[in-house]
Amino acid sequence: MKSKINLGFGVVAMMILLAALSRLLPHPPNFTPIAGMSLFGAAYFSKKYWAFIIPMLAMLISDLIINNVVYASESFMVFHSTSLYIYLSFALITLLGFRLLKKVSTTRLLGASLASSALFFLITNFGVWAVGYSNFSANFGGLIATYVAGIPFALNTIAGDLFYVSILFGSYELLRTRFPQLSTTTELEEDYV
């Protein structure tokens, strides 16, 4: 039994990994590829489990580097107090992508990107409040104050989501026009000899 990876699968996976590693470059807070990676995987991996595995793995790799090299502390750290909420939003954005991007178009990408930004904002700011990371009280008023304090970050999230969605989807479509062998079926294929 011999395995090979479909060219489209490899290109999509590599683009997601590169997007995740772009988090290592200087950027404004929350100007990240999270939604772009999730939506891109959801749109182009024909086997949906890859749309979760590849972006999550790429995110985990970049998190390990960021947490242990860029912001190195004395102890090895895989996750921080709000990581659960970030990864949860990541997974829900992928599900949103399955629903909204069955057919990729500019209008659908814009809607999915903005919906992803809103979802990320709501979930992660709730997480900041829930783990006590914000300086606001542990009541409804404190939750609202956390959301209000998060608005400047939300603007960066929207800008980052629109940027990375444009770059990932636009680049892939340009590659597909140049290299027609990049089919939309980007699945792992097995070749039995």
Side-chain angles (χ1 to χ4, degrees):
M1 178 170 70
K2 182 173 84 173
S3 294
K4 68 178 181 175
I5 295 179
N6 174 298
L7 181 61
F9 176 92
V11 170
V12 170
M14 186 56 64
M15 289 177 70
I16 289 171
L17 179 60
L18 290 173
L21 292 176
S22 76
R23 297 174 63 216
L24 301 174
L25 301 172
H27 60 275
N30 283 34
F31 192 94
T32 63
I34 292 175
M37 292 163 42
S38 298
L39 295 173
F40 188 63
Y44 289 117
F45 285 123
S46 61
K47 294 194 177 180
K48 298 308 178 192
Y49 57 87
W50 288 118
F52 290 100
I53 293 171
I54 300 293
M56 290 279 188
L57 188 58
M59 179 81 161
L60 180 62
I61 291 166
S62 65
D63 273 349
L64 286 170
I65 295 168
I66 290 168
N67 294 338
N68 296 292
V69 176
V70 177
Y71 298 115
S73 65
E74 291 181 21
S75 60
F76 182 79
M77 183 171 67
V78 178
F79 298 110
H80 53 77
S81 60
T82 59
S83 291
L84 171 68
Y85 298 95
I86 293 169
Y87 280 82
L88 174 63
S89 67
F90 202 43
L92 292 175
I93 290 168
T94 302
L95 291 172
L96 182 73
F98 293 155
R99 181 90 170 137
L100 298 179
L101 298 176
K102 290 178 182 175
K103 181 175 169 81
V104 175
S105 70
T106 304
T107 306
R108 287 174 181 256
L109 286 173
L110 179 61
S113 183
L114 294 174
S116 297
S117 298
L119 189 61
F120 185 82
F121 174 78
L122 292 171
I123 292 171
T124 58
N125 279 286
F126 176 82
V128 165
W129 172 79
V131 300
Y133 191 68
S134 71
N135 295 324
F136 303 110
S137 58
N139 58 29
F140 184 72
L143 175 61
I144 297 302
T146 302
Y147 281 122
V148 170
I151 290 173
F153 298 101
L155 298 175
N156 286 346
T157 300
I158 293 167
D161 291 349
L162 291 171
F163 175 78
Y164 281 103
V165 163
S166 298
I167 293 297
L168 287 168
F169 283 87
S171 297
Y172 190 68
E173 289 304 317
L174 282 173
L175 283 171
R176 284 180 52 191
T177 60
R178 177 84 170 106
F179 303 100
Q181 60 269 39
L182 291 175
S183 65
T184 55
T185 37
T186 55
E187 61 191 39
L188 186 65
E189 297 177 333
E190 290 194 37
D191 191 16
Y192 296 95
V193 179

